[in-house]
Amino acid sequence: MKVLKFGGTSVGTVESILSVKKIVEAIDEPVIVVVSALGGITDKLLQTSAMAAKSDVAYEKEFSAIITRHLDVIEGVIPDLETRRSVQRRAMGLLDELGNILRGVFLINDLSAKTSDTIVSYGERLSSLIVSHVIKDAQLFDSRKFIKTVKQFNKHIVDFEQTNQLIRETFNPLPKVSLVPGFISTSRDNGEITNLGRGGSDYTASILATALDASVLEIWTDVDGFMTADPRVINSAYVIDRLSFTEAMELCNFGAKVIYPPTIYPVYHKNIPILIRNTFNPEAPGTYISREKEKYDGKALIKGISSINDTCLITVQGLGMVGVIGVNYRIFKTLAKNGISVFMVSQASSENNTTFAVRNADADLAVEVLNKEFASERAQGDMNDTVAEKDLATVAIVGENMKRTPGIAGKLFGTLGRAGISVIACAQGASETNISFVIKREYLRKALNSIHDSFFLSEYKVLNLFVVGIGTVGGNLLEQIRLQQPKLMEQNGLKLNIVGIANSKKVLINRDGINLDNYREELMTKGMDSTPDTLCEQVLGMNIFNSVFVDCTASPDVAALYARLMNGNVSVVAANKEAASSPYENYQLLKETARHRGIKFLFETNVGAGLPIINTMNDLRNSGDHILKLEAVLSGTLNYIFNTIGPDIPLSQAIHMAMDAGYAEPDPRIDLSGKDVIRKLVILAREAGYRVEQADVKKELFIPDTYFQGSLEDFWKNIPKMDVEFEEKRKHLEGENKRLRFVAKMDNGACQVGLEAFDSHHPFYELEGSNNIIMISTERYHDYPMIIKGYGAGADVTAAGVFADIISIANIR
Ligand code: ADP
Ligand code: ASP
Ligand code: MG
């Protein structure tokens, strides 16, 4: 024989009950079917009774919704008119009783535990009544008659001796199909209605399977099986084919809601396997839980991850504990006497404190009774007051293959470290099937995601990107990512998940990834209003692992967010030059934060767009070389202008053309005043190992300062005045076969920028369009400097450089 249990969602609607009918009727051996209340009804009964107890007359409305729900289901699942009428009558009989009890609660404003237990029992009594008339030849039983409980602290626990005997008597002979309400029971001593705790129908089924030596216990629910993590939190969680009883027990005890924890113990003892199946997808094979330990298949080192977010850590400490025998005995005896359950314990070998985890609701009582227990030691100063830290979360990774496998704890804690999550306490027993740790509750989701990703999805890596600024560079970048994504996934196993996009006004956030086909429209219609500050909060608030903030703006306000972001373990890729050229202290702090946190702060495109200048200099220095001198043409805009001016194109027009071609900064004065080149030179000098500020750079400008005072409009009005002078200069140099270049130089830390003329023998002479060139002299590249040359401006090459920075971050895991 088999025992099948169908949970609330499996009997929640007309369609699902009809699936149950199909599944059960296809079985050709005796079967006991255990059912929960219709999905959500237990919660509703508890809410309604709480309202009634508070004299809230609206309870009546809730109650009538409960009546309607049941009557509607009966209407839908029982086609035969006569049977339907009879079931309706019996259901109404039960609902009338329930209505009277609720009315009583309403009138006397009192809801005892006993009354509450009676009220919730109607959920399973009604559902079993209904389903018993849907499945052919099903015989309805009343579990209150054979599941017997005794009280221990505030819990009803099963009296197995009596229960087993009653079950064997009740199901002898065993009908072809028996229908049993789950969850409910009665007290062995006084016959009052009790229950087995929330989710207890699983346990009812297990008790029946054990007492009657079933061949299998099947738990039918609304997912395809036991999954590697809670699918409501981790959407990449997948079904585990096989689990051992121990693994299943470890996972359920720790929050995997799919099986009510006490369920496993009885069947485990009798070696009856459990099968988890999906009522809504009966073809799926489900998860098979048995005594057999699965051989390591070379893939996942662990089986699953589970968590509970209701955690309080209690610490008993004091130097007077060291080496003293009996302190732990007294701690746990005191807790046990007060009915406080402890689910994790950690004591370091220094013995000066013992930390353990309890539910938040038990915390105050635990502190009180422990302070009382150790009152005299505290008075003498041998021990401190007991400390409680509430609102934490506990996570466990589970798997029998962890046994004797080195490196699992390393991988776990390494993953958490990279995600910037600090572990407050941890525990691993010598059975080595479970490593549990406690973290701040706000980090739970991030912890689960990063651990799941690192242990189960190692075949591909995910980077979660926030892209800020969707102008020319940001827009190009998103388009390049959109086009390249399939290849990256296929060839490199890298998934770039765009979880946030923002412009100066709005931000769009989606953990599952924003569709790049129409993000502009979505940002406009669904984006939230945002400022740099709220943007930062959104990014940090998402608490997402492997995250990268990509700044494609030119905004100092956005650059000012980096430190906060990096302290939240978010890497930063900046096309924005503000941060790297800001005061040295800030630049250094950002670089140090990145190093300390194990994340990246990359800004290759700050100089020479996509040209690999900063990376090359870093490689040189990392291999022991010293950068002595830099000479460079670093402004694509200025170079374009000098290459464009001629007899027919005066300076002012060339500036306009540089703007139109998208080379210039949004405000061209930043280029023409040399400010942009100064920033770039400062960044290069710093990356070359010198402490330089913008004010240290000597400058010889080619447009007098007066042109830069006043508004942008004034500038455009005045600049044509320079045209004649410039054309003369150009003509004169042309006669000498020379060309003008705006050059940045660094010599042992001394920096300067200015206009220079070069003849055709110099590498700077041939520098077409908006190209940049840099000559790097080092101890090794001395007589012949290293030269890097190419497009130094333009949205597509800059975006490609940002893209390359992003990809280099993917290698950090
Ligand atoms: P039922 O009403 O059938 O008893 P439950 O809601 O009690 O169903 O349990 C099934 C739910 O457990 C799933 O819908 C899923 O959201 C949740 N769950 C949490 N952790 C896991 C896990 N590791 N594997 C599968 N389901 C899980
Ligand atoms: N109906 C009960 C509950 O919701 C028991 C169960 O569904 O297993 O907790
Ligand atoms: Mg359940």
Side-chain angles (χ1 to χ4, degrees), residues 463 465 547-552 562 566 570-580 587 590-591 593-595 598-607 609 614-616 618-619 622 683 687 798 801-812:
L463 274 193
L465 308 182
S547 49
V548 185
F549 184 82
V550 184
D551 182 2
C552 297
Y562 297 173
M566 284 158 77
V570 178
S571 288
V572 172
V573 169
N576 185 350
K577 303 177 191 97
E578 291 287 340
Y587 158 85
L590 294 176
K591 300 249 330 173
T593 307
R595 201 172 314 130
I599 52 168
K600 296 270 167 139
F601 171 39
L602 301 177
F603 40 87
E604 176 63 86
T605 52
N606 280 194
V607 184
I614 293 176
N615 280 329
T616 306
N618 285 332
D619 287 345
N622 288 337
I683 295 169
E687 290 293 301
T798 307
V802 173
F803 202 163
D805 273 351
I806 293 171
I807 291 196
S808 78
I809 291 179
N811 294 333
I812 63 170

Side-chain angles (χ1 to χ4, degrees), residues 46-289:
L46 289 169
Q47 277 161 20
T48 310
S49 42
M51 284 165 85
K54 273 192 270 162
S55 293
D56 181 351
V57 74
Y59 92 88
E60 284 177 352
K61 224 171 110 206
E62 291 293 319
F63 179 52
S64 64
I66 294 174
I67 299 178
T68 314
R69 170 100 185 269
H70 285 92
L71 294 182
D72 284 353
V73 166
I74 295 170
E75 188 79 31
V77 293
I78 306 175
D80 175 60
L81 187 67
E82 212 174 300
T83 321
R84 194 190 319 149
R85 288 267 153 77
S86 134
V87 175
Q88 273 163 350
R89 253 197 320 275
R90 286 175 63 186
M92 272 322 293
L94 288 172
L95 287 160
D96 280 344
E97 273 174 44
L98 174 58
N100 288 336
I101 301 172
L102 285 168
R103 179 106 197 122
V105 171
F106 175 73
L107 291 175
I108 60 172
N109 291 331
D110 183 54
L111 179 64
S112 65
K114 175 178 149 186
T115 311
S116 178
D117 285 352
T118 305
I119 291 172
V120 284
S121 75
Y122 282 89
E124 268 72 5
R125 289 161 72 186
L126 284 158
S127 66
S128 57
L129 167 70
I130 298 169
V131 180
S132 72
H133 286 87
V134 177
I135 299 172
K136 217 168 120 225
D137 300 331
Q139 193 177 326
L140 179 61
F141 289 83
D142 184 349
S143 34
R144 290 175 301 169
K145 298 209 173 115
F146 50 81
I147 308 267
K148 293 288 171 184
T149 60
V150 283
K151 201 160 179 184
Q152 219 178 58
F153 294 108
N154 275 330
K155 272 195 186 142
H156 301 288
I157 62 156
V158 175
D159 174 351
F160 274 98
E161 213 181 299
Q162 223 185 77
T163 301
N164 284 339
Q165 192 190 340
L166 287 168
I167 291 175
R168 288 186 196 118
E169 285 165 17
T170 310
F171 294 90
N172 186 16
L174 184 66
K176 168 70 184 39
V177 181
S178 316
L179 228 125
V180 175
F183 182 53
I184 56 178
S185 47
T186 42
S187 157
R188 176 192 69 188
D189 301 326
N190 58 20
E192 280 168 5
I193 298 180
T194 57
N195 63 58
L196 305 180
R198 294 305 309 270
S201 299
D202 297 343
Y203 195 23
T204 309
S206 170
I207 295 165
L208 284 161
T210 313
L212 298 171
D213 288 321
S215 60
V216 63
L217 164 63
E218 297 188 4
I219 299 204
W220 289 77
T221 180
D222 59 352
V223 282
D224 277 351
F226 211 121
M227 303 177 89
T228 48
D230 187 339
R232 290 164 300 183
V233 183
I234 309 287
N235 48 24
S236 53
Y238 57 84
V239 174
I240 309 166
D241 301 337
R242 284 171 169 271
L243 280 171
S244 70
F245 284 121
T246 312
E247 288 167 337
M249 212 148 11
E250 296 276 9
L251 288 166
C252 301
N253 274 334
F254 243 75
K257 192 191 169 207
V258 61
I259 309 178
Y260 181 51
T263 307
I264 299 172
Y265 202 61
V267 284
Y268 161 69
H269 260 286
K270 282 246 175 143
N271 198 14
I272 299 168
I274 305 176
L275 205 57
I276 313 283
R277 305 282 303 271
N278 189 351
T279 308
F280 304 89
N281 183 19
E283 286 77 39
T287 301
Y288 187 75
I289 303 168

Side-chain angles (χ1 to χ4, degrees), residues 433-561:
T433 48
N434 177 324
I435 304 178
S436 305
F437 59 91
V438 177
I439 53 175
K440 281 199 174 148
R441 193 192 269 175
E442 71 222 56
Y443 290 135
L444 177 58
R445 198 187 181 111
K446 189 177 187 181
L448 292 174
N449 267 300
S450 38
I451 299 169
H452 194 265
D453 187 61
S454 131
F455 278 95
F456 293 111
L457 305 175
S458 41
E459 69 268 31
Y460 72 89
K461 294 174 181 174
V462 183
L463 274 193
N464 292 303
L465 308 182
F466 300 88
V467 178
V468 186
I470 51 167
T472 51
V473 174
N476 248 281
L477 172 69
L478 289 170
E479 182 60 8
Q480 288 178 15
I481 293 177
R482 187 181 74 85
L483 294 173
Q484 189 60 12
Q485 178 66 86
K487 265 199 205 133
L488 278 178
M489 188 69 182
E490 196 185 301
Q491 292 169 4
N492 308 68
L494 174 63
K495 183 173 176 213
L496 296 181
N497 196 29
I498 312 288
V499 292
I501 293 181
N503 60 15
S504 55
K505 294 187 190 74
K506 297 215 170 245
V507 56
L508 181 69
I509 297 272
N510 183 351
R511 301 187 83 91
D512 299 328
I514 295 167
N515 181 355
L516 291 183
D517 292 330
N518 59 346
Y519 69 90
R520 279 182 200 275
E521 198 187 308
E522 261 200 68
L523 180 64
M524 289 292 290
T525 53
K526 295 194 198 140
M528 289 169 284
D529 291 343
S530 90
T531 61
D533 237 26
T534 55
L535 175 73
C536 185
E537 276 155 30
Q538 300 260 8
V539 174
L540 292 173
M542 264 184 112
N543 242 326
I544 203 159
F545 70 110
N546 281 357
S547 49
V548 185
F549 184 82
V550 184
D551 182 2
C552 297
T553 73
S555 156
D557 297 337
V558 176
L561 306 175

